[in-house]
Amino acid sequence: MLVKDPNVIKDKWGKRPSDRSVGELLSAGVIALDKQSGPTSHQVTAWAKNAIHAKKIGHGGTLDPYVSGVLPLCLGKAVRLTDLVLSSDKQYVCIMRLHRDRSEKRIREVMSTFEGKIYQMPPVRSAVKRQLRIRTISKLNILEINGRDVLFTVDCDAGTYIRTLCTDIGEALGCGANMLELRRSRSGRMTEDKAVIMQDLADAYVFWQQHGREDWMRSILMPVEVLVEPLPKIIVKPTAVDAICRGADLTVKGIHMLDEDIRKNALVALMTARGELIALGKMSMSTPKIMASSQGIAVSTERVIMNPGHYPSMWKFSTDLDEDELQ
């Protein structure tokens, strides 16, 4: 990160995400749920809402009823960032069945051509408009070939239809193919090894509520900040935090540090020095211009996550602070 202003007020306020209580995490947190095959994503989300008595909950990225795997659940204020989950890249483990025999060499040759940019037409029974779209397959790795069954993993853009991918591979092989089984092993940076099944979520909540044992719930709940990990970040001075919480834009004078080479109009996460997410905003100028400027609007605030009053309203009198407070 580049330091815009080394003279910042010592951060006496706020709370590191790791120090938040279970109640605070439930009001703005994330759960990586391991959805089982059978129920819809909507039904599973409803069960989770009842299990932890959540006031507001939303899932990021629908899984078909008979698809299992990582289903991110956003709680409370984190629901406002669900679109970040929806747009994140995914990883799947798939079993594809060929309709006719093909040599292993031929299968590997054809499937390797599907890495990179591909064209896809959404299925007839899809929630989006059926028009040709471009998606990127960053990695397609064959794990095992057993007769006509092919086990593989695929890392891809959000909105990639694996069922359609299997059909297209079958056509390229000249034998036809269909998806037999599918599991989502990763959504963004949430992986299946950190996902929790519904029963464990319900039991952990009971242990916390009835017995005061919060370790289990803490191991399940992630702070809202995990959703903005892929975004470029700007560290805001403590004196400017409360103003942003009330909807103000971030000026150049309110910046302490920022990532290098952030482009104009890029979506950025505004953070405190303690790692707390304040808001999301759109860059009004690039990093080089900010470093060369002493005034002006640097970021237009779009979505505020932190509540006002979490930091004092020092922006009202920040220009009158004593020099010995600036270190």
Side-chain angles (χ1 to χ4, degrees):
M1 275 195 166
L2 298 176
V3 178
K4 173 61 180 175
D5 188 352
N7 298 316
V8 296
I9 298 176
K10 294 178 181 178
D11 198 350
K12 308 172 185 177
W13 306 276
K15 181 186 292 185
R16 292 182 177 86
S18 58
D19 295 333
R20 289 175 188 154
S21 67
V22 171
E24 288 172 326
L25 291 170
L26 285 170
S27 67
V30 184
I31 295 172
L33 189 71
D34 190 340
K35 176 190 172 298
Q36 302 302 301
S37 175
T40 64
S41 296
H42 179 75
Q43 181 63 69
V44 168
T45 303
W47 288 341
K49 182 177 183 179
N50 291 334
I52 62 176
H53 298 87
K55 293 182 179 179
K56 185 183 291 186
I57 189 170
H59 65 77
T62 301
L63 289 174
D64 290 344
Y66 293 101
V67 176
S68 64
V70 180
L71 180 67
L73 300 180
C74 299
L75 312 175
K77 282 204 166 188
V79 172
R80 300 194 65 193
L81 304 180
T82 304
D83 61 314
L84 298 181
V85 185
L86 294 172
S87 61
S88 63
D89 64 328
K90 311 290 192 292
Q91 183 187 75
Y92 295 92
V93 181
C94 177
I95 299 178
M96 175 181 67
R97 175 161 293 175
L98 306 181
H99 298 166
R100 294 180 185 176
D101 293 333
R102 288 291 184 269
S103 68
E104 180 173 328
K105 180 181 178 181
R106 180 59 178 161
I107 294 171
R108 292 184 181 276
E109 285 178 351
V110 169
M111 291 186 69
S112 67
T113 65
F114 280 82
E115 287 191 341
K117 293 188 181 300
I118 63 170
Y119 290 94
Q120 278 200 332
M121 179 70 74
V124 175
R125 296 182 179 180
S126 64
V128 299
K129 184 178 180 180
R130 295 196 74 232
Q131 59 184 20
L132 199 62
R133 303 185 302 171
I134 297 176
R135 290 293 179 264
T136 300
I137 304 294
S138 55
K139 187 177 181 181
L140 198 157
N141 183 35
I142 297 175
L143 302 177
E144 184 180 351
I145 299 176
N146 184 8
R148 295 183 179 182
D149 291 341
V150 182
L151 175 66
F152 66 94
T153 62
V154 55
D155 294 78
C156 55
D157 283 347
T160 303
Y161 290 94
I162 307 303
R163 191 183 303 276
T164 301
L165 176 64
C166 291
T167 301
D168 293 343
I169 291 173
E171 290 182 359
L173 282 166
C175 63
N178 65 280
M179 187 184 79
L180 199 63
E181 191 173 339
L182 184 66
R183 176 174 175 79
R184 184 156 68 195
S185 51
R186 180 178 60 79
S187 178
R189 300 192 181 184
M190 296 180 217
T191 55
E192 61 181 340
D193 61 321
K194 296 182 179 179
V196 59
I197 62 174
M198 181 63 68
Q199 188 59 56
D200 284 346
L201 176 61
D203 288 347
Y205 185 82
V206 171
F207 269 62
W208 172 57
Q209 282 286 290
Q210 298 185 7
H211 306 289
R213 296 167 61 181
E214 63 176 31
D215 290 350
W216 199 356
M217 277 300 288
R218 279 190 169 280
S219 68
I220 292 172
L221 294 168
M222 294 177 282
V224 65
E225 284 77 11
V226 301
L227 299 179
V228 299
E229 285 181 0
L231 295 180
K233 296 173 181 61
I234 292 180
I235 307 301
V236 178
K237 292 180 184 178
T239 50
V241 173
D242 191 67
I244 296 172
C245 292
R246 299 176 190 277
D249 293 330
L250 176 63
T251 65
V252 172
K253 291 183 178 180
I255 296 176
H256 172 41
M257 300 175 70
L258 73 164
D259 284 342
E260 298 182 40
D261 300 325
I262 308 178
R263 297 190 301 269
K264 184 178 179 180
N265 295 322
L267 185 67
V268 295
L270 303 182
M271 314 288 292
T272 70
R274 291 186 179 273
E276 305 157 288
L277 176 62
I278 308 167
L280 296 187
K282 184 173 289 187
M283 294 289 287
S284 299
M285 56 178 77
S286 63
T287 296
K289 189 171 181 180
I290 290 174
M291 296 301 295
S293 304
S294 60
Q295 59 184 0
I297 301 296
V299 181
S300 298
T301 302
E302 293 193 344
R303 276 178 277 177
V304 177
I305 303 301
M306 183 179 288
N307 292 325
H310 190 62
Y311 278 67
S313 298
M314 293 182 292
W315 53 277
K316 294 180 180 178
F317 52 87
S318 58
T319 54
D320 298 325
L321 291 170
D322 296 330
E323 287 296 325
D324 60 358
E325 293 185 83
L326 297 169
Q327 297 296 333

